[in-house]
Amino acid sequence: MDKKLKIGISACVMGEPVRYDRGHKKSNFCVDQLSDFADFKPVCPEMAIGLPVPRPTIRQIMRDNIITVSRPDGSGDVTDKLTEFGQKAAQHYGDLAGFVFCAKSPSCGMERVKVYHHHGKGSESTGVGVFAQQVMELNPLLPCEENGRLNDPVIRENFITRIFTYQKWLDLKASGITKHKLITFHSVHKYLVMSHHVESYRELGRLLGRADIELDELANRYIAGLMEALKNKASRRSHTNTLQHLQGYFKRDLDEAKRKELTDEIAAYHQGLQPLLVPLTLIKHYLIEYPNAYLQEQVYLNPHPKELRLRYGY
């Protein structure tokens, strides 16, 4: 990789002691592994608006169908300050490839943030962190995830796939989009999209085949469709379908024994007997023996650095 990704991150997830109790929520994956490929831009919105460390806890409170962020007793309302800071900060995140938020935080949680009733009895996990909400609404294409969910191998691989894909898109935009570049971009991402959402694979192909849409609108609709498709987590079934499509490119090259070997490896993966890496490694081996320029360019085979070992566990 020529350059590192730029990724926004809640400062506590980077291990900075910025929480109300001087604690942190360090993500070992982000700090110890992903940092080899990314420059993080940490932010603590609560400190950014002037709250000290340590500080009284704040929470989301529902009163008259309006959610505010304040101390548990309702004092020290910082809703407007967090909102304004989020809006200003989000306008400068156009060069980010992704964002990692701190789960359950009243400022940074992406979802399921506790919203307390104003009378203090009970809560519902229906809120979105005020800062996170601004970032996501003003940057709808930006891949976002929470620290805790990155411990799940499928969610982790999905997020990392999205940030590396989005970085490629940012690079394409910076180089100047043309119809040819757009079609080439889609061409190398086709099987990646298929592995996540086969209908989007078809829809994006049809979209690029249209001649009645201006280039800027076409590009905007394409990347919106692509990033939405990649939010779907690839399953064993969808990976198996994609692997079988790749297998078809070798039908004239492989002898009966090699065809059976590849078929058996794909079937074993589908049955959950081995990780995705096994049939993929065999396909890559056959690509060395029987080169195919189109397949060799497919992002699906290498959507992220192998050093992250994201396809070893499922």
Side-chain angles (χ1 to χ4, degrees):
M1 224 176 99
D2 294 334
K3 64 178 182 180
K4 288 188 172 185
L5 308 177
K6 289 183 181 179
I7 299 178
I9 191 168
S10 295
C12 60
V13 178
M14 278 299 290
E16 297 182 14
V18 295
R19 287 173 58 80
Y20 71 97
D21 58 356
R22 292 195 180 98
H24 61 76
K25 290 286 186 177
K26 178 184 174 183
S27 165
N28 291 327
F29 171 70
C30 291
V31 175
D32 300 333
Q33 298 180 55
L34 188 54
S35 59
D36 288 341
F37 305 95
D39 285 327
F40 289 101
K41 299 180 70 173
V43 57
C44 174
E46 294 174 22
M47 286 192 66
I49 64 171
L51 297 181
V53 177
R55 57 183 175 272
T57 59
I58 57 174
R59 59 172 54 168
Q60 294 196 358
I61 301 174
M62 175 73 77
R63 180 180 283 104
D64 298 327
N65 293 320
I66 297 176
I67 295 176
T68 59
V69 182
S70 67
R71 297 173 186 170
D73 63 3
S75 64
D77 189 325
V78 292
T79 314
D80 290 343
K81 288 184 177 180
L82 283 174
T83 301
E84 291 170 8
F85 174 74
Q87 291 173 344
K88 291 179 181 178
Q91 294 173 5
H92 300 286
Y93 289 161
D95 62 341
L96 296 186
F99 209 110
V100 181
F101 291 107
C102 181
K104 301 180 181 180
S105 162
S107 57
C108 288
M110 282 178 60
E111 58 185 10
R112 300 188 303 276
V113 174
K114 281 189 177 182
V115 179
Y116 293 82
H117 299 297
H118 72 277
H119 46 64
K121 298 179 180 179
S123 63
E124 298 174 355
S125 298
T126 57
V128 178
V130 177
F131 170 74
Q133 185 173 26
Q134 302 308 315
V135 173
M136 293 188 292
E137 287 183 355
L138 294 173
N139 298 275
L141 299 177
L142 184 67
C144 296
E145 195 48 84
E146 291 183 334
N147 56 329
R149 285 165 50 90
L150 290 177
N151 293 321
D152 181 298
V154 176
I155 293 175
R156 178 187 299 187
E157 201 266 347
N158 177 272
F159 176 63
I160 299 304
T161 294
R162 287 188 288 137
I163 64 175
F164 276 94
T165 301
Y166 193 52
Q167 182 61 58
K168 292 185 181 74
W169 178 258
L170 294 176
D171 293 341
L172 177 64
K173 280 184 63 178
S175 73
I177 295 178
T178 65
K179 184 67 176 289
H180 175 71
K181 288 181 181 179
L182 190 55
I183 291 173
T184 300
F185 184 90
H186 177 63
S187 178
V188 300
H189 286 85
K190 284 177 70 172
Y191 286 113
L192 180 67
V193 178
M194 177 183 283
S195 71
H196 285 259
H197 196 241
V198 69
E199 184 53 39
S200 293
Y201 163 83
R202 301 188 185 104
E203 290 175 355
L204 291 171
R206 289 194 292 266
L207 174 65
L208 292 181
R210 294 181 58 175
D212 60 331
I213 305 177
E214 294 292 331
L215 180 60
D216 286 348
E217 182 186 351
L218 183 65
N220 290 336
R221 289 173 62 174
Y222 175 80
I223 189 57
L226 175 63
M227 299 311 296
E228 189 64 30
L230 295 183
K231 286 182 181 179
N232 294 279
K233 298 173 189 65
S235 63
R236 283 190 182 273
R237 181 178 178 182
S238 62
H239 273 306
T240 299
N241 177 53
T242 305
L243 291 168
Q244 289 171 338
H245 274 79
L246 299 184
Q247 182 182 23
Y249 285 88
F250 297 103
K251 61 184 177 182
R252 295 181 180 177
D253 299 314
L254 304 182
D255 59 29
E256 184 176 350
K258 289 180 177 179
R259 282 198 299 271
K260 184 178 186 306
E261 180 184 22
L262 183 53
T263 297
D264 289 347
E265 296 291 13
I266 293 174
Y269 163 71
H270 184 247
Q271 295 164 18
L273 301 178
Q274 60 191 16
L276 177 63
L277 187 67
V278 176
L280 277 177
T281 299
L282 188 55
I283 286 173
K284 292 177 184 180
H285 171 71
Y286 288 150
L287 268 176
I288 295 174
E289 283 193 62
Y290 311 104
N292 181 303
Y294 178 71
L295 280 193
Q296 287 168 330
E297 292 179 347
Q298 287 300 311
V299 173
Y300 175 73
L301 297 175
N302 299 286
H304 33 61
K306 62 183 179 181
E307 291 84 356
L308 292 174
R309 302 169 65 89
L310 295 174
R311 284 176 162 174
Y312 283 62
Y314 74 98

